[in-house]
Amino acid sequence: MAGLLDLPSEVILIIVEYLQSQSHDKGVLIPFYWFGDAYRETVFEHDQPPKVKDLHSLLLTSRQFKSLLQPILYRDIFIRNYTRWNEKRPFDQLQWSLENIPSVQNLIVTAMIPCVEPSTMYDVSDLFWFPNLKDLTIHHFKDWEELEFEDNAHVATSVVEHLRLISCGAHEEALAAVLSWPKALKTLFYDVEQGEWDAHYEDQPVKEWTCEAFVRTLQPQKETLEELVMARPRLEHEGLYNGPAIQLRDFSALKVLRIYHIFLCGWDGPDGISTRLPPNLEVLEVWYDDTQLKKFLVEQHDEPPYDRFLEILVRDKKIHFPKLHKVTVFTDEHIYDRENDEELGAGLWELPTTLAHDAVEAGIEINVWLGCEHYPYQPLQEFDVFRSLEISQTSHATSTVMLRHK
C-alpha cells in the first residue's frame, strides 16, 4: 500500500489544506465591538492555533514535507504578547527565522504581531514591506514620535491592504507615519487607547486625542479606504472623550463604517451627521459603549423615544448617501415594562410604526439590538477564537447577536 509520501505533491497539499480548514470549525461570527477584546485575549492568553502546531509537527517528519509545507506554515503568522520565563521570546524566534531563512518573508500573507517592550514599531515596521503580506494586525503600538526614514522613500510603497491597530495609543505624528506607508489601504480597524495621549514631555502641553486628529492621520488613504472600524477598549474611567464628532465626508471610497456612537456623534449630537458621513456609505453599524453618557432609548416627551440620528439618516439618505441600505444599532439597554414592573428580555427591538414605514420608503434596513453584552469571555471559550476573528474580519451577520440572547 502506498504511503503518504508516495502521493503526488498536489494530492498531499490538497489533503493538508483540507485538514487545516477542518481544524477550526468551531469559529463563530462576532459583532465588531468585540473585536478589540477578542484580539487582546488572543495575544495574551493563546499559543499558536492547534492547526499550526499540527502542521509544524508534520513538516518536521521529512525533507519532502518541509519543502512542500513551509509555504503553508509561514502563510499566517501569529506572535503572542509574552513568553514564559524559560522560553525564548516568540518575536525573537520570528526574527531568527527571517534572518536565517530570508525567503520566509516572501511566504507571509497575514500576521498578528505585538509591539511591546523591548519590541518597538521599528522592529515591526519591516513587515510592511514583505512582498506578499496583505493583512497585518499590530497590538500595542504606542509610539509618540514619527518613525523617520531617509527621503520618505517608504511612503505609499507597502502592499498591506488590511490593517488592524489594537490598543493603539500612538500619537498623531507616529500614527500618521504608519498610515502613510500602504499604497492603497482598503480596511482599517483602529482600536484607540485615548488615555495614552494624556502623557507629555516635560513642560510640553498635553495633546488630547480627538477624532479630528485621527482623520488627519488617515488622509493618505481617503481615496482607497473601503471599510473603517473605529473602537476603543472598554471604559475604565469617565471623561475619556466627548469632543467633536468624526468628519468622513471626503472619504469617497468608504462603504462600510462600524463605529462607537461617541465617535459618530460626539458632543455635536445627531445634528449635522448627514454632512459628516461618506457619500458612498452602504453599511453603518453603531455601538453605544457608554450609556451613562448617551443612551439610544430616551424618555423625553418632546423627542422621539430613540436617538434621533436614525430619523436623520432616513430623511437625508437620498441627498447625502443614496447607497446606504443597512443600519444596525447595538446597545446594552433594555426596555422597561412599567405595567408589569420589569425589564423585557434582550433581543431585536420593534421599530416604531412611523420610523419603520419611513425606513422602508427610503430603502434602509434598520435593526436595533437591545441588551447586548460587552465582550463575554466565557461563551467564546467554547469556540476557536482565532477562527472567530478570521471569519469576522471581512463579514458580519447581525444574526450572530442571538448567541448572547439564547
Side-chain angles (χ1 to χ4, degrees), residues 131-144:
N132 297 304
L133 198 155
K134 299 295 182 66
D135 192 306
L136 178 59
T137 301
I138 301 174
H139 180 262
H140 226 253
F141 167 37
K142 296 190 176 182
D143 293 33
W144 286 10

Side-chain angles (χ1 to χ4, degrees), residues 22-28 381-385 387-388 391:
Q22 296 300 307
S23 65
H24 48 50
D25 288 351
K26 297 179 68 177
V28 296
Q381 290 179 1
E382 303 173 4
F383 301 98
D384 184 335
V385 180
R387 177 58 176 160
S388 296
I391 64 178

Side-chain angles (χ1 to χ4, degrees), residues 211 214-215 228 230 244-248 257 259 263-265 276:
C211 284
F214 166 61
V215 172
L228 173 62
M230 195 172 173
I246 196 165
Q247 171 59 262
L248 296 170
L257 178 62
I259 190 169
F263 303 137
L264 180 67
C265 292
R276 298 193 300 264

Side-chain angles (χ1 to χ4, degrees), residues 175-196:
L175 182 60
V178 170
L179 292 178
S180 74
W181 297 343
K183 62 176 67 175
L185 199 62
K186 292 183 178 179
T187 66
L188 173 65
F189 175 36
Y190 179 51
D191 177 57
V192 56
E193 285 203 1
Q194 301 155 256
E196 290 291 324

Side-chain angles (χ1 to χ4, degrees), residues 23 43 51 53 127 210 240 315 349 370 380:
S23 65
V43 168
K51 67 172 184 176
K53 297 178 181 179
L127 278 78
T210 64
L240 270 180
R315 181 194 69 196
W349 182 56
L370 303 179
L380 277 187

Side-chain angles (χ1 to χ4, degrees), residues 155-260:
V155 172
T157 56
S158 169
V159 299
V160 170
E161 295 180 347
H162 310 283
L163 179 63
R164 300 175 195 88
L165 302 175
I166 313 301
S167 298
C168 180
H171 288 207
E172 183 174 351
E173 292 77 10
L175 182 60
V178 170
L179 292 178
S180 74
W181 297 343
K183 62 176 67 175
L185 199 62
K186 292 183 178 179
T187 66
L188 173 65
F189 175 36
Y190 179 51
D191 177 57
V192 56
E193 285 203 1
Q194 301 155 256
E196 290 291 324
W197 286 47
D198 290 341
H200 59 93
Y201 293 115
E202 299 179 352
D203 59 346
Q204 294 184 14
V206 173
K207 297 180 180 180
E208 292 188 355
W209 184 93
T210 64
C211 284
E212 183 181 12
F214 166 61
V215 172
R216 285 197 298 266
T217 70
L218 199 52
Q219 289 303 302
Q221 308 300 335
K222 68 180 181 180
E223 295 181 359
T224 63
L225 192 68
E226 298 177 359
E227 177 176 342
L228 173 62
V229 181
M230 195 172 173
R232 63 182 179 184
R234 65 180 64 197
L235 292 172
E236 294 182 357
H237 59 84
E238 296 179 357
L240 270 180
Y241 179 73
N242 186 27
I246 196 165
Q247 171 59 262
L248 296 170
R249 195 63 185 173
D250 293 337
F251 287 73
S252 58
L254 194 59
K255 300 177 182 178
V256 179
L257 178 62
R258 297 179 173 127
I259 190 169
Y260 283 26

